[in-house]
């Protein structure tokens, strides 16, 4: 009986091993696991179908020994005629795989080292030691940018030696070549400031088109991935590189060569602190050439120019170190030339000096540097007054050497004055007094409104990096005093860049259309198809056709008529027009000047504009506009025939007879009797009240020589000891004029 009871109890306990609630939990667990597995399968399926390539590349990219970057080719830069100014040529990096070589040193080491020494002349001991020291490395870049000929020489050697090495049980292993592109500039320094240069990796540009259009020129690297399949065979996945686009510039390489030839000639024969030249199409603001006096080799951009001697670099470095210390330690005592060596080593000073020299060399004077433009500004004073109706262009004014404005005695360019003179003659002879009177008639509000319309104090928007706007170096109606208005009217006491002046000139002479200057015409893809065309951008209208006609006629006479200051700019057979400029630099010590000439041809239908600026000519007597006019003439003489601008056979070296007959032979100032008679006629035509003005005389009372009254150039004739100086300076740079803005205005009514 005991046995029977125990058996029953055992059976009852056994039946309770998996009670119902446990079975339910087990079922739920199995269900959850099943759902999780199903979800995992779905995720894996999605990855395999939609992101297979991405994850394959992630995995395969870890296998560095069998994957490589496929470099992109940086886009080319061409001139407007298809001439290559910048290109990328394929070069090769020599790669060593010491690990592969050392898998069997007896078979591979000697043969591989022999190949390197015999093909490339490398040091045998150095290579042998390198391979043994880095025997665990699979990628060692030993040499960069080998040519195709170098690579071909190695491959031929390997092919020729293969049979011989095979018989000896040896082989060349662990040597291969990696593709790369090298940026080359076929014309070295030609157009260096416009083109700029690319860094060695081709990923970024410095200066010029290379920098401004960097994203256009850049491509995207590709990659080749390698892996072993199920059969242990090497498989490859290749993502090809996307090459950069080609930029077609507006630059004409032939015109650029002409410009740089005469810049170099000037610098070698006379020289100056700086010289800049811009050549533009005035009808759409395309830049045909742009250069300054500090060009550099684009293939070796860090090779300094000869003038940067060690002593010059040291002085630049000391000043930069002083400035650097001041920036970093604003509350500390400033360093001096004597104390700078306590904080900077000689190596640091020379390094800083070298960087300053590079920046000075790479800086584009034509767009980055502001200067007082001088008399080239005068056409804008006259244009604004004509547009606003402040003058009709028929007025006459008396120039008696100077005007007193705001407590300042402001002289004309001629120390003896011009006598009675018309608006047109005011431009021809570059008379400061006429401009001051016209600006005063117009008033500050209108004058500075047109300064803004012509683009002074703002960027032009040219597609080059580093453009200055000079907005802090220009007066406005509410900040200018009477003397500021007077001096601004003839181009002093405010700053402009060359590109601002050239763009404004184009708008005045082309009928009033201000276009955004640009250096790129179109963008091409790798196949040569146009993917973007850079059309001229019309920004605004500046003047009317009648004003354009008046200015073009006046500037034609400035170059071709007797008494015009631009006679040195004449080009035989062509209707050349233009305006001279001579600006006294600050401080006003009658020592340093900027001379310039902005001209174009033909005068009645402008096709090309050339602007020449020379900063501080290396001569004792600087203020002669002829220096710039002659450089202009040489450039124009060559580029006009090249551009198929045909000469006008009716044009003589002097003003045509029909035009000459309209002018007094000596601008109405030959003697007191003649002067009175001629001024009487001119005044009657202009409706002026005065009919007789004494002719200018010299200090000794004698009549002024004709060369002073009818100059062949603009020459600031201010002898030492003269009591007149230009007031103030450029705002934001040298301090404002010393006069009060409330000073009384000078009487400016037409005479």
């Amino acid at each position: 009986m005991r046995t029977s009871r125990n058996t029953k109890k055992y059976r009852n306990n056994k039946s309770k091993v998996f009670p119902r609630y446990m079975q339910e939990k087990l079922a739920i667990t199995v269900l959850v696991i099943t759902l999780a597995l199903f979800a995992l399968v779905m995720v894996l399926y999605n990855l395999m179908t939609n992101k297979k390539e991405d994850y394959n590349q992630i995995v395969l990219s870890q296998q560095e020994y069998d994957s490589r970057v496929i470099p992109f080719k940086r886009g080319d830069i061409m001139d407007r005629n298809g001439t290559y100014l910048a290109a990328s040529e394929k070069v090769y990096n020599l790669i060593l795989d010491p690990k592969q070589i050392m898998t069997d040193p007896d078979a591979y080491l000697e043969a591989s080292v022999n190949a390197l020494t015999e093909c490339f002349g490398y040091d045998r001991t150095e290579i042998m030691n390198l391979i043994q020291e880095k025997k665990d490395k699979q990628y060692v870049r030993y040499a960069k940018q080998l040519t195709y000929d170098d690579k071909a020489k190695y491959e031929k050697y390997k092919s020729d030696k293969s049979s011989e090495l095979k018989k000896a049980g040896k082989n060349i292993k662990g040597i291969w070549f990696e593709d790369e592109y090298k940026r080359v500039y076929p014309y070295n320094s030609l157009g260096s400031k416009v083109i700029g240069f690319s860094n060695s990796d081709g990923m970024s540009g410095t200066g010029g088109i290379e920098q401004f259009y960097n994203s256009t020129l850049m491509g995207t690297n590709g990659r080749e991935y390698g892996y072993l399949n199920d059969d242990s065979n090497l498989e490859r996945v290749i993502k090809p590189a996307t090459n950069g686009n080609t930029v077609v510039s507006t630059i004409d390489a032939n015109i650029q060569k002409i410009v740089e030839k005469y810049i170099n000639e000037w610098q070698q024969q006379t020289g100056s602190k700086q010289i800049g030249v811009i050549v533009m199409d005035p009808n759409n603001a395309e830049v045909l050439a742009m250069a300054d006096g500090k060009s550099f080799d684009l293939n070796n951009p860090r090779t300094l120019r000869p003038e940067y001697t060690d002593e010059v670099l040291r002085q630049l470095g000391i000043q930069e170190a002083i400035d650097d210390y001041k920036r970093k330690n604003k509350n500390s005592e400033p360093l001096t030339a004597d104390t700078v060596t306590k904080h900077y080593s000689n190596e640091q000073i020379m390094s800083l000096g070298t960087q300053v020299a590079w920046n000075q060399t790479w800086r584009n004077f034509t767009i980055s540097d502001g200067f007082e433009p001088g008399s080239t500004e005068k056409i804008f004073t006259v244009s604004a007054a004509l547009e606003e109706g402040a003058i009709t262009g028929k007025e006459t004014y008396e120039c008696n050497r100077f005007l007193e404005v705001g407590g300042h005695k402001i002289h004309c360019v001629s120390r003896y004055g011009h006598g009675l003179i018309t608006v047109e003659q005011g431009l021809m002879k570059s008379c400061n007094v006429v401009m001051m009177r016209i600006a005063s008639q117009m008033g500050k509000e209108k004058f500075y409104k047109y300064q803004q319309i012509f683009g002074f104090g703002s960027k032009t928007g040219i597609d080059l990096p580093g453009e200055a706007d000079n907005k802090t170096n220009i007066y406005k109606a509410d900040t200018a005093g009477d003397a500021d208005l007077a001096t601004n009217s003839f181009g002093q006491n405010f700053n402009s860049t060359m590109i601002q002046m050239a763009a404004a000139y184009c708008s005045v002479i082309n009928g009033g259309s201000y276009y955004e200057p640009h250096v790129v015409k179109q963008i091409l893809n790798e196949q040569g198809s146009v993917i973007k065309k850079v059309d001229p951008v019309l920004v605004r209208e500046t003047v009317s056709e009648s004003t354009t006609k008046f200015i073009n006629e006046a500037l034609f006479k400035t170059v071709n008529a007797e008494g015009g200051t631009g006679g040195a700019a004449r080009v035989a057979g062509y209707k050349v027009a233009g305006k001279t400029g001579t600006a006294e630099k600050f401080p006003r010590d009658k020592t340093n000047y900027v001379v310039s000439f902005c001209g174009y041809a033909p005068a009645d239908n402008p096709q090309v504009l050339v602007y020449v600026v020379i900063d501080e000519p290396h001569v004792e007597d600087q203020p002669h506009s002829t220096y710039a006019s002659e450089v202009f003439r040489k450039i124009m003489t060559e580029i006009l025939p090249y551009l198929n601008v045909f000469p006008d056979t009716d044009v003589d070296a002097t003003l045509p007879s029909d035009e000459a007959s309209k002018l007094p032979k000596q601008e109405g100032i030959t003697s007191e009797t003649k002067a009175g008679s001629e001024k009487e006629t001119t005044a009657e035509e202009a409706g002026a009240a005065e009919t007789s003005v004494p002719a200018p005389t010299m200090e000794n009372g004698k009549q002024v020589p004709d060369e002073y009254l009818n100059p062949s150039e603009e020459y600031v004739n201010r002898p030492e000891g003269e009591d007149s100086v230009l007031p103030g300076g450029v705002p934001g740079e040298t301090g404002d004029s010393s006069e009060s803005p409330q000073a009384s205005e000078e009487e400016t009514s037409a005479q």
Side-chain angles (χ1 to χ4, degrees):
M1 293 296 292
R2 185 177 296 173
T3 303
S4 177
R5 284 196 299 271
N6 290 340
T7 303
K8 184 177 181 181
K9 183 178 180 181
Y10 170 75
R11 288 177 178 174
N12 290 336
N13 290 338
K14 187 176 180 181
S15 65
K16 295 180 181 179
V17 172
F18 292 105
R20 185 174 184 81
Y21 78 91
M22 290 184 66
Q23 292 176 3
E24 291 175 352
K25 286 184 177 181
L26 182 61
I28 292 172
T29 300
V30 171
L31 180 60
V32 170
I33 292 172
T34 303
L35 291 174
L37 289 172
F38 180 76
L40 180 61
V41 170
M42 293 301 296
V43 170
L44 291 174
Y45 177 78
N46 180 62
L47 292 177
M48 292 179 66
T49 55
N50 298 328
K51 296 189 175 182
K52 177 181 178 181
E53 183 177 349
D54 293 341
Y55 280 93
N56 276 346
Q57 292 179 357
I58 291 173
V59 173
L60 294 172
S61 66
Q62 307 305 314
Q63 303 177 17
E64 295 181 3
Y65 64 90
D66 215 321
S67 68
R68 67 183 184 92
V69 172
I70 302 175
F72 68 84
K73 179 184 178 184
R74 189 174 177 86
D76 300 324
I77 300 175
M78 298 192 296
D79 85 334
R80 63 191 303 115
N81 301 314
T83 301
Y84 285 90
L85 303 176
S88 295
E89 65 178 22
K90 185 175 283 189
V91 291
Y92 304 89
N93 298 329
L94 176 61
I95 309 301
L96 302 181
D97 185 346
K99 187 173 182 178
Q100 185 182 32
I101 295 173
M102 295 305 288
T103 56
D104 190 349
D106 294 335
Y108 305 145
L109 182 58
E110 186 73 19
S112 300
V113 171
N114 286 341
L116 293 171
T117 56
E118 292 183 29
C119 288
F120 306 111
Y122 298 143
D123 184 83
R124 180 183 183 83
T125 304
E126 179 184 303
I127 296 177
M128 190 75 74
N129 292 337
L130 175 68
I131 293 173
Q132 292 174 344
E133 288 173 5
K134 299 182 180 293
K135 59 184 178 182
D136 295 328
K137 300 289 185 182
Q138 295 174 312
Y139 181 94
V140 176
R141 184 182 293 173
Y142 187 74
K144 294 187 66 177
Q145 298 190 348
L146 300 178
T147 65
Y148 175 78
D149 291 340
D150 293 329
K151 179 174 179 283
K153 183 178 180 180
Y154 165 78
E155 290 174 344
K156 184 177 185 302
Y157 175 90
K158 185 177 179 180
S159 176
D160 293 344
K161 288 283 186 178
S162 60
S163 298
E164 178 185 337
L165 292 172
K166 188 174 182 180
K167 291 177 182 178
K170 299 180 183 296
N171 202 352
I172 299 172
K173 289 283 186 179
I175 301 173
W176 54 284
F177 294 89
E178 179 182 71
D179 294 352
E180 193 175 76
Y181 286 96
K182 177 184 178 182
R183 200 64 164 167
V184 294
Y185 301 91
Y187 295 96
N188 297 318
S189 62
L190 185 73
S192 57
K193 299 301 175 72
V194 186
I195 300 170
F197 60 93
S198 171
N199 295 340
S200 58
D201 59 4
M203 298 298 290
S204 61
T206 299
I209 294 172
E210 290 277 25
Q211 180 176 334
F212 195 91
Y213 286 91
N214 186 61
S215 59
T216 301
L217 292 164
M218 265 185 60
T220 305
N221 284 332
R223 195 170 185 89
E224 181 179 15
Y225 305 89
Y227 66 96
L228 297 178
N229 61 18
D230 293 340
D231 298 324
S232 297
N233 294 321
L234 185 66
E235 297 284 351
R236 295 189 181 277
V237 176
I238 298 177
K239 180 183 178 183
T242 303
N243 294 331
N245 294 318
T246 292
V247 171
V248 180
S249 71
T250 61
I251 299 298
D252 188 310
N254 293 315
I255 296 177
Q256 186 74 31
K257 288 177 184 177
I258 294 169
V259 166
E260 294 191 17
K261 177 176 72 173
Y262 288 113
I263 285 178
N264 292 334
E265 179 183 279
W266 162 262
Q267 290 292 68
Q268 291 168 9
Q269 293 181 358
T270 304
S272 56
K273 180 179 179 181
Q274 183 59 284
I275 176 174
V277 177
I278 293 177
V279 182
M280 292 179 69
D281 182 339
N283 299 302
N284 55 20
E286 288 183 352
V287 178
L288 304 179
M290 175 184 282
D292 63 30
K294 290 188 177 181
S295 61
F296 59 94
D297 186 352
L298 291 169
N299 292 303
N300 300 284
R302 288 176 173 79
T303 299
L304 291 175
R305 295 170 56 85
E307 59 262 33
Y308 289 108
T309 62
D310 287 346
E311 180 57 30
V312 171
L313 293 178
R314 180 170 178 77
Q315 292 304 315
L316 291 174
I318 288 173
Q319 185 57 53
E320 181 61 21
I322 292 172
D323 296 339
D324 180 66
Y325 185 84
K326 185 177 180 179
R327 288 191 296 267
K328 295 177 179 177
N329 304 275
K330 295 181 180 179
N331 299 322
S332 300
E333 187 73 18
L335 298 182
T336 65
D338 295 327
T339 61
V340 71
T341 54
K342 296 180 180 179
H343 299 269
Y344 294 85
S345 67
N346 186 62
E347 291 75 15
Q348 289 175 316
I349 290 173
M350 294 300 288
S351 176
L352 289 172
T354 300
Q355 292 176 41
V356 172
W358 283 340
N359 290 333
Q360 289 179 354
T361 301
W362 301 338
R363 185 181 181 89
N364 189 342
F365 171 75
T366 63
I367 67 170
S368 298
D369 288 348
F371 56 91
E372 294 176 83
S375 297
T376 49
E377 153 72 16
K378 291 174 180 175
I379 74 161
F380 306 112
T381 299
V382 173
S383 295
L386 288 170
E387 287 298 303
E388 286 296 319
I391 62 172
T392 64
K394 298 179 180 179
E395 292 82 358
T396 56
Y397 299 89
E398 179 191 353
C399 172
N400 189 21
R401 299 189 300 166
F402 63 87
L403 283 182
E404 290 193 13
V405 183
H408 295 277
K409 191 176 181 181
I410 306 176
H411 268 238
C412 187
V413 294
S414 172
R415 61 184 293 199
Y416 300 109
H418 293 108
L420 194 65
I421 188 171
T422 66
V423 176
E424 184 178 72
Q425 291 166 351
L427 287 172
M428 289 173 57
K429 297 174 181 291
S430 203
C431 180
N432 290 349
V433 172
V434 169
M435 299 304 135
M436 288 189 280
R437 290 187 179 277
I438 290 175
S440 183
Q441 283 180 248
M442 189 170 22
K444 294 178 187 175
E445 292 294 334
K446 292 179 180 178
F447 179 86
Y448 289 107
K449 180 184 79 171
Y450 272 86
Q451 285 283 87
Q452 183 178 6
I453 289 174
F454 289 126
F456 299 112
S458 60
K459 294 183 178 181
T460 64
I462 188 171
D463 46 349
L464 288 173
E467 183 185 7
D469 55 27
N470 293 307
K471 64 182 178 182
T472 60
N473 302 133
I474 189 169
Y475 285 102
K476 297 181 181 179
D478 57 349
T479 60
D482 293 340
D484 301 320
L485 174 64
T487 54
N488 286 178
S489 72
F490 56 85
Q492 295 271 190
N493 285 29
F494 78 93
N495 272 4
S496 168
T497 62
M498 285 190 67
I499 195 64
Q500 286 173 336
M501 185 63 68
Y505 254 81
C506 288
S507 75
V508 172
I509 67 175
N510 71 12
S513 299
Y514 186 102
Y515 288 100
E516 185 177 86
H518 56 287
V519 297
V520 168
K521 285 178 67 72
Q522 55 190 15
I523 309 297
L524 310 179
N525 63 16
E526 191 176 355
Q527 290 71 41
S529 300
V530 178
I531 59 175
K532 181 181 179 181
K533 185 178 180 182
V534 182
D535 294 316
V537 176
L538 178 61
V539 180
R540 56 185 169 270
E541 297 292 333
T542 58
V543 299
S544 61
E545 285 283 352
S546 60
T547 296
T548 292
K549 184 177 179 181
F550 181 92
I551 295 297
N552 285 347
E553 289 178 355
L555 297 193
F556 172 69
K557 293 175 182 177
T558 299
V559 175
N560 296 279
E562 182 182 8
T565 59
R570 293 175 188 164
V571 178
Y574 288 94
K575 291 183 176 180
V576 173
K579 183 72 191 75
T580 53
T582 309
E584 185 179 352
K585 296 183 69 173
F586 195 88
R588 314 296 191 194
D589 56 4
K590 306 180 182 68
T591 302
N592 293 320
Y593 293 81
V594 175
V595 296
S596 59
F597 187 86
C598 190
Y600 51 95
D604 52 0
N605 181 27
Q607 297 299 307
V608 59
L609 175 140
V610 177
Y611 184 30
V612 179
V613 173
I614 299 176
D615 184 12
E616 296 185 24
H618 291 164
V619 293
E620 186 175 346
D621 191 20
Q622 293 184 11
H624 290 268
S625 65
T626 300
Y627 297 129
S629 300
E630 288 180 345
V631 174
F632 166 90
R633 176 182 56 79
K634 291 176 181 179
I635 292 172
M636 267 296 201
T637 299
E638 289 200 35
I639 68 174
L640 285 172
Y642 170 75
L643 290 172
N644 291 323
V645 178
F646 298 103
D648 191 314
T649 55
D650 295 334
V651 177
D652 196 2
T654 58
L655 192 69
S657 57
D658 60 329
E659 291 292 328
S661 63
K662 300 177 185 178
L663 295 173
K665 285 195 175 181
Q666 293 187 351
E667 306 302 322
I669 310 171
T670 55
S671 66
E672 298 217 6
T673 307
K674 263 190 169 181
S677 173
E678 289 174 354
K679 289 171 188 172
E680 197 170 60
T681 305
T682 311
E684 185 179 356
E685 291 176 357
E690 292 192 24
T691 59
S692 179
V693 178
T697 58
M698 296 188 295
E699 290 86 345
N700 58 11
K702 293 184 178 180
Q703 182 178 325
V704 177
D706 184 65
E707 60 264 25
Y708 291 121
L709 298 178
N710 294 297
S712 60
E713 64 169 346
E714 181 177 339
Y715 173 52
V716 181
N717 190 4
R718 295 176 183 164
E720 290 296 326
E722 186 185 82
D723 60 349
S724 170
V725 294
L726 290 173
V730 175
E733 185 174 280
T734 56
D736 294 342
S737 171
S738 59
E739 76 164 279
S740 167
Q742 286 78 33
S744 60
E745 295 192 6
E746 177 73 10
E747 178 64 33
T748 58
S749 58
Q751 301 298 312

